[in-house]
Amino acid sequence: MTKKPVALCGLVWLAITPSIAFSQHQANVEHIIEQSVAANQRDFAAAPTFNYKELDRVGKGSKEYQITIIEGSPYQRLIAVNGKPLSAAQAAEEEKKQQQVEAQRRAESSSERQSRIAKWEKERKRDNDMMSQLTKAFDFALLGQRKMRGFTVWMLKATPRASYQPPNMETQVLRGMQGELWIDQKTYQWVKVTAQVVHPVSIEGFLAQVEPGTRFEVEKSPVSGGTWQFTHFAMKSNAKVLYMFNRASQDDETYFDYQRIP
């Protein structure tokens, strides 16, 4: 755990030895970021050991799903629409669909099963890479501390790092973003992360450009087993395709009721 600033003594010490204070401040920020990356990697590894529910908000409506790991990869079963549970007939139909998928997966050959799981893991890795690249794409400054959702957190400002080289197409957008991180002081977990595009970014290999107005927000919370998992994701994107046609999209997803798989 890094030392918290002590108000009066800290101000006097900073005035007397500014270069030493600045160096320790930078070291503390680097330590916080390194520990937060390690915590996120542990959570990423633990994620497949949970079933959970997902609420997707679409326009003025919503759909709720039960996400269940079946034979090594998740299955999404509809359980409610616009806050109302499905009728008995609809629920029975969804249950029948899940049973069919269970039977199909149990009947797969070894290569078919490996291919299905590998496809899911590839998608998981892509999402995780985007999160992990946040710590490489930005320079961080410690703004202070505060209370958020019952946690005592460090507040960090993230600004684009001039030397950053995106490893793939998905992460190119980070070159034009800035953001904020709120990191729990006890666990180094990301309580909340926000980022927004501040200047247009061209996507190499595609005639597309991500415009200001694009932003995303993620939140994590502790779940059973001592890990933290994502509990909210929201994204609003604004892009030009072929540099002429505007294309906007929006996602808002909440994840809850995490249950460790027996």
Side-chain angles (χ1 to χ4, degrees), residues 33-62:
I33 294 299
E34 289 173 358
Q35 292 299 313
S36 75
V37 170
N40 272 287
Q41 291 305 314
R42 291 193 295 270
D43 298 337
F44 175 75
T49 66
F50 291 96
N51 296 327
Y52 59 94
K53 291 183 173 65
E54 176 181 327
L55 178 65
D56 295 351
R57 295 174 179 83
V58 183
K60 296 182 179 180
S62 66

Side-chain angles (χ1 to χ4, degrees), residues 40 43 52-57 131 148-149 151 189-193 217-224 227-234 252-258:
N40 272 287
D43 298 337
Y52 59 94
K53 291 183 173 65
E54 176 181 327
L55 178 65
D56 295 351
R57 295 174 179 83
M131 292 296 105
M148 174 177 281
R149 291 167 39 211
F151 303 102
Q189 291 281 0
W190 292 355
V191 177
K192 185 177 180 179
V193 179
E217 173 184 301
V218 294
E219 294 181 2
K220 294 180 68 179
S221 300
V223 299
S224 62
T227 71
W228 288 46
Q229 296 296 325
F230 290 107
T231 50
H232 184 242
F233 170 79
D252 192 311
E253 302 169 359
T254 300
Y255 316 103
F256 59 101
D257 193 22
Y258 279 87

Side-chain angles (χ1 to χ4, degrees), residues 95-112:
E95 181 66 27
K96 181 180 178 181
K97 291 178 183 178
Q98 179 168 329
Q99 291 174 355
Q100 291 172 341
V101 168
E102 291 174 351
Q104 290 170 357
R105 293 186 179 182
R106 286 194 295 266
E108 290 175 334
S109 66
S110 177
S111 61
E112 289 173 334

Side-chain angles (χ1 to χ4, degrees), residues 9-262:
C9 294
L11 286 173
V12 173
W13 183 72
L14 183 62
I16 299 172
T17 55
S19 60
I20 298 176
F22 180 77
S23 297
Q24 181 168 344
H25 171 74
Q26 291 299 100
N28 285 347
V29 171
E30 291 177 4
H31 178 72
I32 291 169
I33 294 299
E34 289 173 358
Q35 292 299 313
S36 75
V37 170
N40 272 287
Q41 291 305 314
R42 291 193 295 270
D43 298 337
F44 175 75
T49 66
F50 291 96
N51 296 327
Y52 59 94
K53 291 183 173 65
E54 176 181 327
L55 178 65
D56 295 351
R57 295 174 179 83
V58 183
K60 296 182 179 180
S62 66
K63 290 185 177 181
E64 186 176 327
Y65 300 91
Q66 172 65 52
I67 311 298
T68 305
I69 302 295
I70 299 175
E71 298 295 325
S73 67
Y75 176 77
Q76 180 176 277
R77 175 167 59 90
L78 183 66
I79 59 176
V81 177
N82 297 330
K84 297 181 180 179
L86 301 182
S87 67
Q90 291 172 323
E93 181 63 25
E94 293 297 324
E95 181 66 27
K96 181 180 178 181
K97 291 178 183 178
Q98 179 168 329
Q99 291 174 355
Q100 291 172 341
V101 168
E102 291 174 351
Q104 290 170 357
R105 293 186 179 182
R106 286 194 295 266
E108 290 175 334
S109 66
S110 177
S111 61
E112 289 173 334
R113 184 174 189 273
Q114 290 177 2
S115 177
R116 169 175 52 80
I117 295 175
K119 181 180 179 181
W120 174 55
E121 287 290 354
K122 183 178 180 181
E123 295 173 352
R124 278 212 329 133
K125 183 178 183 301
R126 180 195 62 201
D127 295 340
N128 185 62
D129 286 347
M130 176 64 84
M131 292 296 105
S132 64
Q133 284 295 310
L134 293 179
T135 61
K136 301 175 182 178
F138 300 110
D139 291 317
F140 296 92
L142 184 61
L143 301 181
Q145 63 180 15
R146 61 172 289 186
K147 285 284 187 179
M148 174 177 281
R149 291 167 39 211
F151 303 102
T152 303
V153 299
W154 288 295
M155 299 180 295
L156 286 87
K157 178 73 174 180
T159 54
R161 182 173 296 169
S163 60
Y164 176 64
Q165 296 296 322
N168 51 44
M169 182 193 72
E170 289 84 358
T171 54
Q172 289 182 35
V173 68
L174 297 177
R175 293 182 292 117
M177 303 189 85
Q178 66 181 22
E180 301 82 30
L181 284 80
W182 291 264
I183 299 177
D184 179 45
Q185 293 188 4
K186 289 184 178 180
T187 63
Y188 293 94
Q189 291 281 0
W190 292 355
V191 177
K192 185 177 180 179
V193 179
T194 63
Q196 51 278 331
V197 172
V198 291
H199 63 78
V201 178
S202 297
I203 305 299
E204 296 178 7
F206 289 80
L207 294 176
Q209 180 169 277
V210 181
E211 298 286 324
T214 297
R215 62 174 286 117
F216 74 84
E217 173 184 301
V218 294
E219 294 181 2
K220 294 180 68 179
S221 300
V223 299
S224 62
T227 71
W228 288 46
Q229 296 296 325
F230 290 107
T231 50
H232 184 242
F233 170 79
M235 180 183 71
K236 180 181 179 182
S237 64
N238 183 26
K240 284 185 178 179
V241 182
L242 299 178
Y243 299 116
M244 294 181 291
F245 305 104
N246 289 325
R247 181 179 180 181
S249 63
Q250 191 166 340
D251 292 308
D252 192 311
E253 302 169 359
T254 300
Y255 316 103
F256 59 101
D257 193 22
Y258 279 87
Q259 301 291 330
R260 179 77 76 172
I261 299 172

